[in-house]
Amino acid sequence: MIKVAVSGFKGRMGSEVVRTVLAEKDMELVAVLDHEPTEKNIAELPEFHAENVPVYGDLGQLLSEAHPEAVVDFTTPASAYQNTKKIIEHGARAIVGTTGFTTEQIEELTHLAEAKQTGSLIAPNFAVGAVLMMQFAEKVAAYFPNVEIIELHHDRKLDAPSGTAVKTAEMISKTREKIKQGHPDEKETLPGARGADYEGMRIHSVRLPGLIAHQEVVFGAAGQGLTIRHDSYDRVSFMSGVTLAIRKTAELKTLIYGLENIL
Ligand code: NAP
């Protein structure tokens, strides 16, 4: 049995991970973390009344008392870096879905994971369909360097652009000729109208209630267009990627960024 803990267990993603881990036959949920816990055990919550899993308010205490092999983190951009560092320093595997990491932070955590010989994974998107969208976009960009990314999320999301959009832009930039798109003299009459600039391509962030996580990668060339779209209609779409990462990171001795690298 793989001993798993969930950080941010009351959140939209964290609660889905708790349900998933409880249902997996080869996993044991040994602890959960909340930054301001109001319960001592998840059994106090009606949905989990039949379970017996301690709730911690301190990650250090959780790691040294519950001894998880893997900790899944879906918290906030402000806390995920410190959480991930602490998990790896302790020698446990970090499986992180929280978005908003900088390139420098990912590099530093990778060095730390290598020094500790610990497998970990940070993935801005755990949905297999979203990973395929990014991989296909990387291929298309070799032929269609004019591209705009439109990401659409629920209006409770804290960071913009989404981690998936940034990762898509990074992957596209491996094959795309670096050109500045649009008219050379274009001017925004309303600031932000053309979106964020990533090496000359544009990223647009839509935030609306009712949405979960969606993205369109729109390519244009003379006389033709190609649009790749992925939709997560339900948070269950991320769970097969999370359980795969919990299992696969046991075989790694470094930190991997992106689910595509373990598929
Ligand atoms: P959410 O519903 O706001 O959940 C975050 C949870 O973490 C809340 O319960 C929050 O508590 C708790 N929390 C905040 N700081 C904490 C800390 N220091 N320690 C422990 N718990 C803490 O957000 P969400 O929609 O689940 O999203 C969480 C993150 O996952 C976001 O960064 C989002 O972009 C990302 N995400 C990633 C994927 C993917 O596939 N990688 C998919 C969807 C979302 P309070 O509410 O009390 O502050």
Side-chain angles (χ1 to χ4, degrees), residues 7-8 10-13 33-35 74-77 79 83 97-99 123-126 154 157 159 238:
S7 164
K10 278 188 172 173
R12 287 173 288 257
M13 287 298 289
L33 181 77
D34 187 28
H35 60 141
F74 281 98
T75 56
T76 61
S79 62
N83 286 355
T98 313
T99 48
N125 203 315
F126 276 102
H154 59 87
K157 185 166 176 57
D159 53 322
F238 304 111

Side-chain angles (χ1 to χ4, degrees), residues 140-192:
V140 176
Y143 306 96
F144 290 72
N146 283 281
V147 51
E148 308 228 348
I149 299 169
I150 307 167
E151 55 96 342
L152 310 91
H153 281 81
H154 59 87
D155 62 348
R156 304 288 87 202
K157 185 166 176 57
L158 291 172
D159 53 322
S162 71
T164 304
V166 174
K167 177 83 178 157
T168 308
E170 284 170 10
M171 288 173 69
I172 284 176
S173 76
K174 289 186 208 160
T175 57
R176 174 183 172 267
E177 182 194 343
K178 286 182 186 36
I179 53 162
K180 187 176 179 326
Q181 292 175 203
H183 195 287
D185 298 329
E186 74 180 5
K187 285 207 170 47
E188 289 181 334
T189 51
L190 279 178

